[in-house]
Amino acid sequence: SSAPPPPPPPSSSASSSTSTSSASSSSSTSSSSSTSTTESKKATTFQLPPVIDEVLSLVLQCCYEVAPHSRMSGVRCVSMLMELLPSSFLAMHTAHVVHAVLHVLRLLPSHALMEQEVVAFVLRRFVFQVLTAHLLPSGSGSGSGGGS
């Protein structure tokens, strides 16, 4: 019973946000170092719309769904986002993306050969795109990552 209550949904009223702010101020000292790293991962840092953070979060959540078609949709969406987002932004989320895609690959049955190929291809392409973004000069790695 020592765990704090979960935060209210984003669409809560202003009166509940004041009670939440007092609870969050007591825990702000323990999470102040993680806040600075979270801020640097925000889409606005890369001149992207703020909704991109939410889109990436929802796409990665698809990779953890129960239904296999939902997990595969998450992998396909990761592949699409790789075409649209800068490699430097994706590099900030490498651990989360790789974990989600590996989760999908791990849960695929052995007879789903085509799906295994697709997921493995997306994973290889993601890792290659993120690694090459760090190896290229700073001007070249900030654009959207192409690749095959």
Side-chain angles (χ1 to χ4, degrees), residues 59 62-63 67-80 104:
V59 164
C62 287
C63 294
H69 64 276
S70 297
R71 292 192 301 260
M72 285 304 297
S73 295
V75 172
R76 288 186 178 101
C77 286
V78 166
S79 180
M80 288 175 43
V104 175

Side-chain angles (χ1 to χ4, degrees), residues 26-109:
S26 64
S27 65
S28 65
T29 56
S30 63
S31 64
S32 62
S33 62
S34 66
T35 305
S36 62
T37 56
T38 306
E39 289 299 320
S40 67
K41 292 183 178 184
K42 296 281 187 188
T44 53
T45 307
F46 297 89
Q47 287 81 35
L48 296 169
V51 73
I52 296 296
D53 292 319
E54 191 67 27
V55 168
L56 183 61
S57 174
L58 291 172
V59 164
L60 294 180
Q61 283 180 6
C62 287
C63 294
Y64 296 101
E65 289 292 325
V66 174
H69 64 276
S70 297
R71 292 192 301 260
M72 285 304 297
S73 295
V75 172
R76 288 186 178 101
C77 286
V78 166
S79 180
M80 288 175 43
L81 288 175
M82 287 170 49
E83 298 293 328
L84 300 173
L85 297 174
S87 298
S88 54
F89 175 75
L90 293 172
M92 297 300 294
H93 300 280
T94 300
H96 297 291
V97 174
V98 169
H99 189 273
V101 175
L102 279 175
H103 179 75
V104 175
L105 187 60
R106 188 174 43 234
L107 291 181
L108 283 173

